[in-house]
């Protein structure tokens, strides 16, 4: 069997679709299908169930996925070790960031890294924080900018960038307009506009409500903080965002900190501690770039 066969098999397994897998590995769908078929012939068992629209793993495929990922990681580690000795940086890094987040320092770091190491291909994607953390653990993403409730996951390397509380936003004619601070019980009496489940800020809110025995009504949710604030400005609910997001609020909105939410919303870079000199160099650029106060997202 060949490494490319394992790569294509892992891509199909993770994408659950031959077309998306082909786009991911930059070859034709027929090429991916042929190589996976060849791998199945060599192993003497079907790895992918092709009987439905989704490319689902068979029992044998599920058993093969972990070793296939491990083999690819070992091959990459071998290449990285040799490149490290030779002082070369090449390959591909997948960077992910929370949807709806725009952080100039991250883009500055990516640009500086690309200028210094043009032999390394960079891929950028967006997703929810929860999914990106799982993707980093699975080796699908090299570096992710995520939001978390409290400290970043202990099993991953991380740089915490922002740690802050939550704020409620509402128009000047809202019943809460006279309040300098509010509680979860206060805002739960009104419809809420929030970021989606899986984001760090939403996780902080949900955990705090559970701990306080409060059941809010989330009327609307949007992945972009600006959209959350704009919906609140139009009277569709109380927006829940972070302190730094609230600092950039629409002039037509008032802000009141949520006084009884003790868990902070944290924005952090996370990655696995792997023998990858390109990733180490990218992290170095990020450390240099993330030195000024930032606006958190997600």
């Amino acid at each position: 069997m060949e490494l490319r066969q394992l790569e294509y098999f892992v891509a199909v397994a993770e994408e659950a679709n031959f077309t998306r897998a082909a786009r991911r590995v930059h070859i034709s769908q027929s090429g991916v299908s042929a190589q996976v078929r060849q791998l199945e012939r060599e192993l003497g068992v079907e790895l992918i169930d092709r009987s439905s629209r989704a490319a689902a793993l068979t029992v044998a495929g599920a058993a093969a996925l972990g070793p296939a990922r491990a083999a690819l990681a070992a091959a990459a580690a071998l290449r990285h070790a040799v490149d490290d000795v030779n002082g070369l940086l090449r390959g591909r890094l997948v960077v992910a960031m929370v949807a709806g987040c725009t952080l100039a320092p991250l883009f500055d770091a990516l640009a500086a890294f690309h200028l210094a190491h043009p032999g390394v291909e960079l891929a950028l994607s967006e997703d929810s924080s929860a999914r990106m953390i799982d993707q980093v653990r699975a080796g699908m993403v090299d570096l992710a900018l995520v939001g978390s409730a409290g400290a970043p996951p202990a099993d991953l390397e991380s740089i915490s960038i922002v740690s802050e509380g939550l704020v409620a936003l509402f128009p000047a004619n809202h019943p809460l307009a006279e309040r300098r601070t509010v509680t979860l019980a206060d805002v739960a009496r009104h419809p809420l506009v929030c970021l989606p489940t899986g984001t760090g800020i939403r996780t902080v809110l949900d955990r705090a409500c559970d701990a306080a025995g409060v059941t809010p009504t989330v009327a609307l949710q949007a992945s972009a903080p600006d959209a959350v604030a704009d919906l609140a400005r139009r009277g569709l609910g109380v927006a829940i965002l972070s302190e730094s997001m609230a600092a950039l609020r629409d002039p037509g909105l008032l802000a009141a900190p949520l006084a009884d939410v003790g868990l902070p919303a944290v924005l952090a870079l996370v990655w696995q501690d792997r023998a990858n000199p390109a990733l180490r160099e990218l992290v170095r650029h990020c450390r240099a770039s993330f030195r000024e106060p930032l606006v958190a997202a997600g």
Side-chain angles (χ1 to χ4, degrees):
M1 68 184 69
E2 300 177 6
L3 285 175
R4 64 175 178 173
Q5 294 171 343
L6 298 180
E7 179 187 2
Y8 299 165
F9 162 62
V10 169
V12 173
E14 292 175 349
E15 299 292 340
N17 182 278
F18 277 91
T19 301
R20 289 196 298 269
R23 286 199 295 264
R24 173 170 152 180
V25 298
H26 308 296
I27 70 166
S28 67
Q29 180 178 336
S30 60
V32 169
S33 182
Q35 290 299 319
V36 173
R37 283 289 191 194
Q38 179 61 32
L39 178 62
E40 290 175 324
R41 283 194 290 271
E42 292 185 24
L43 294 175
V45 64
E46 281 196 350
L47 302 174
I48 305 294
D49 182 357
R50 299 168 175 82
S51 62
S52 63
R53 295 182 66 181
L57 290 174
T58 64
V59 174
L65 183 57
R69 284 173 171 159
L72 292 172
L78 173 61
R79 170 55 64 190
H80 295 328
V82 173
D83 287 348
D84 211 8
V85 170
N86 291 333
L88 300 175
L89 285 179
R90 58 186 177 184
R92 183 172 188 262
L93 291 176
V94 179
V95 180
M97 58 187 295
V98 66
C101 173
T102 300
L103 277 180
L106 176 61
F107 299 156
D108 290 342
L110 294 177
F113 175 85
H114 175 68
L115 182 63
H117 308 288
V120 180
E121 177 189 355
L122 291 173
L124 184 64
S125 64
E126 291 184 325
D127 211 328
S128 73
S129 295
R131 282 194 293 267
M132 287 189 295
I133 289 170
D134 287 340
Q135 290 165 355
V136 171
R137 288 178 175 137
M140 299 166 59
V141 167
D142 296 294
L143 180 71
L145 182 69
V146 304
S148 67
D155 61 320
L156 297 176
E157 298 295 311
S158 64
I159 302 171
S160 291
I161 298 166
V162 174
S163 179
E164 56 190 1
L166 300 191
V167 172
L169 299 170
F170 35 79
N173 61 353
H174 193 274
L176 295 175
E178 300 300 320
R179 304 288 298 272
R180 296 178 64 87
T181 64
V182 294
T183 66
L184 291 167
D186 292 333
V187 298
R189 296 188 185 101
H190 307 275
L192 301 187
V193 185
C194 302
L195 295 170
T197 301
T199 59
I201 290 172
R202 180 63 178 274
T203 301
V204 170
L205 176 65
D206 290 345
R207 290 184 184 177
C209 287
D210 288 344
V214 173
T215 305
T217 299
V218 177
L220 297 168
Q221 57 184 24
S223 60
D226 287 348
V228 172
D230 194 36
L231 291 167
R233 183 179 62 82
R234 297 169 188 272
L236 294 171
V238 175
I240 306 296
L241 293 171
S242 68
E243 291 173 355
S244 58
M245 292 174 184
L248 301 177
R249 68 185 181 276
D250 186 291
L253 289 174
L254 302 176
L258 279 161
D260 54 346
V261 177
L263 191 65
V266 174
L267 185 70
L269 285 167
V270 298
W271 67 96
Q272 277 191 320
D273 185 14
R274 293 184 294 164
N276 184 336
L279 178 57
R280 289 201 304 270
E281 184 66 7
L282 178 56
V283 168
R284 186 185 70 78
H285 279 274
C286 288
R287 288 187 190 277
S289 186
F290 283 106
R291 286 176 177 167
E292 300 298 324
L294 300 174
V295 175

